[in-house]
Amino acid sequence: MAIRSAGWRGQGLVVGAISGWSRVAGVAAAAAALCLLIRPFVPAASAGGRQIGATPGVASLAAWLPAIVLLAAAGVSAATGRLPRLGLAVIGAAGALAVGIGLRWVWLLDTGHRTVLDLPVGGQALAGNRYAVGPGLWLGIAAAGLLVLGLVAAVAGWARTVTEDDGSLDGWRPTFSALGLFVGAIAAIAFSMAPSDSALSVAPPSVIQQTGIGRIGGLILVIVVVACCVLAATFRPWLATVGILASVGVVLLALSIDNLVVITRSRDLATSVGTVAEVVSAVLVLLLAAGAVLVPTGSPADRSEPAGRPATAKKAAPATAKKAGPATAKKAGSAQGRKPRGRAVGGQPSTRRTGRP
């Protein structure tokens, strides 16, 4: 049975049947958030008897903390049926991005061909050092796999999960699709560039210069970013649009801050154009999500009408004149063509009838 409420910003939200797949997606997202929460506190790898990538503290959590909080909240929302499509939108977008991110992390499992310079951690050792995979890397891969599972569950349960609004913000959808294309293209270019620079030529390469599934993962990531930014405005209710953009924004922000942490901890890496572009593009996506939250009710065309003249009066006036014009002219013509009855006396029509012929 559908439940109608005043909803968000006065919109009439209707929450109906909740699919079992929605609960599966919620549990998967909550588990992924837990993996991401633990990951910074365990080593990603070990090389030469030294653990790599385990520096507990606020800085280690700063990158992924917004994404962890959002994923946990979305998991609760989808699993409990409280605005389930909002939760599914967040989980679905994060899961789509996790396909590319997860492939890049799986690429690091090939320890026979990778060195510690390929690891996304600071303070890299020499280029020739091999490493052994640690629990931190496995937790990252597990989190990506859980988010992909959440994506599959969200797609399976989307149509069976009912959450609708009154459509009062539908007029803004074309505008946000166009803005999403612009912002998504900027983000795709930013995350295709080399994330850092180095005078010793030890900086990670750009996506095109990578090899194997690392390149495939990078290409999938930028394609998904553009697709999510453009298609977010087509999802109903409008809260789902907000959820998709917010999910993409926090994940991109996590990747960009993670890269900044790596550069800060390494003496051989320096910031580059790609470093700044990643942060800027993530902020732009978050601003687009904030704009979707703050957008005024009604379409842009309705709000462009002059304040002193309502649109209904403007449209109704010509129609009234057109409708009344022919009838008025017909009556006027009938009055002019009517002859006076009786004889004219002194140039004036007589109103008295006589009995004579």
Side-chain angles (χ1 to χ4, degrees), residues 303-357:
R303 298 184 64 82
S304 63
E305 292 292 340
R309 187 176 186 184
T312 54
K314 183 179 179 181
K315 294 179 180 179
T320 305
K322 183 178 180 180
K323 184 176 181 181
T328 306
K330 185 177 180 181
K331 290 181 180 179
S334 176
Q336 291 177 2
R338 188 181 299 149
K339 294 182 179 180
R341 291 185 290 183
R343 295 180 180 181
V345 180
Q348 297 295 330
S350 175
T351 59
R352 181 175 60 86
R353 281 183 175 273
T354 61
R356 295 180 182 179

Side-chain angles (χ1 to χ4, degrees), residues 186-198 203-206 252-266 268-283:
I186 294 177
I189 295 173
F191 281 86
S192 299
M193 302 170 66
S196 59
D197 196 6
S198 174
S206 64
L252 294 185
L253 185 66
L255 294 174
S256 60
I257 295 179
D258 215 1
N259 181 50
L260 283 175
V261 172
V262 169
I263 295 173
T264 303
R265 291 177 177 175
S266 177
D268 301 328
L269 296 179
T271 57
S272 65
V273 176
T275 309
V276 179
E278 286 184 358
V279 178
V280 171
S281 62
V283 172

Side-chain angles (χ1 to χ4, degrees), residues 38-63:
I38 300 173
R39 187 177 69 97
F41 298 97
V42 295
S46 61
R50 183 168 62 94
Q51 292 183 344
I52 301 174
T55 308
V58 177
S60 301
L61 278 176

Side-chain angles (χ1 to χ4, degrees), residues 276-307:
V276 179
E278 286 184 358
V279 178
V280 171
S281 62
V283 172
L284 287 177
V285 177
L286 289 175
L287 288 176
L288 189 61
V293 173
L294 302 176
V295 67
T297 304
S299 65
D302 294 339
R303 298 184 64 82
S304 63
E305 292 292 340

Side-chain angles (χ1 to χ4, degrees), residues 42-335:
V42 295
S46 61
R50 183 168 62 94
Q51 292 183 344
I52 301 174
T55 308
V58 177
S60 301
L61 278 176
W64 287 92
L65 188 58
I68 291 170
V69 173
L70 184 63
L71 285 173
V76 172
S77 175
T80 61
R82 181 74 174 176
L83 299 178
R85 277 199 175 182
L86 171 60
L88 292 179
V90 173
I91 297 168
L97 295 172
V99 175
I101 298 172
L103 286 177
R104 295 168 74 174
W105 285 343
V106 170
W107 179 70
L108 295 174
L109 295 179
D110 186 10
T111 57
H113 296 85
R114 310 277 82 79
T115 68
V116 291
L117 293 177
D118 298 315
L119 293 173
V121 294
Q124 290 101 325
L126 297 177
N129 286 8
R130 301 295 179 183
Y131 63 87
V133 177
L137 185 56
W138 284 113
L139 281 172
I141 295 173
L146 287 168
L147 288 176
V148 173
L149 173 62
L151 167 64
V152 174
V155 172
W158 183 268
R160 304 175 186 177
T161 301
V162 178
T163 307
E164 291 291 342
D165 56 23
D166 59 5
S168 59
L169 297 176
D170 287 353
W172 290 95
R173 295 185 185 276
T175 302
F176 272 82
S177 290
L179 291 174
L181 177 60
F182 175 72
V183 173
I186 294 177
I189 295 173
F191 281 86
S192 299
M193 302 170 66
S196 59
D197 196 6
S198 174
L200 302 177
S201 301
V202 294
S206 64
V207 171
I208 300 300
Q209 294 175 335
Q210 293 176 6
T211 59
I213 61 175
R215 177 193 293 178
I216 296 174
L219 292 175
I220 291 176
L221 177 64
V222 297
I223 292 172
V224 169
V225 167
V226 176
C228 286
C229 289
V230 175
L231 299 178
T234 64
F235 284 81
R236 298 187 62 93
W238 183 258
L239 273 178
T241 300
V242 176
I244 293 173
L245 293 174
S247 181
V248 173
V250 295
V251 172
L252 294 185
L253 185 66
L255 294 174
S256 60
I257 295 179
D258 215 1
N259 181 50
L260 283 175
V261 172
V262 169
I263 295 173
T264 303
R265 291 177 177 175
S266 177
R267 294 173 297 179
D268 301 328
L269 296 179
T271 57
S272 65
V273 176
T275 309
V276 179
E278 286 184 358
V279 178
V280 171
S281 62
V283 172
L284 287 177
V285 177
L286 289 175
L287 288 176
L288 189 61
V293 173
L294 302 176
V295 67
T297 304
S299 65
D302 294 339
R303 298 184 64 82
S304 63
E305 292 292 340
R309 187 176 186 184
T312 54
K314 183 179 179 181
K315 294 179 180 179
T320 305
K322 183 178 180 180
K323 184 176 181 181
T328 306
K330 185 177 180 181
K331 290 181 180 179
S334 176

Side-chain angles (χ1 to χ4, degrees), residues 9-24:
R9 295 180 56 199
Q11 294 188 79
L13 290 175
V14 177
V15 179
I18 307 299
S19 171
W21 287 107
S22 177
R23 294 181 172 86
V24 172

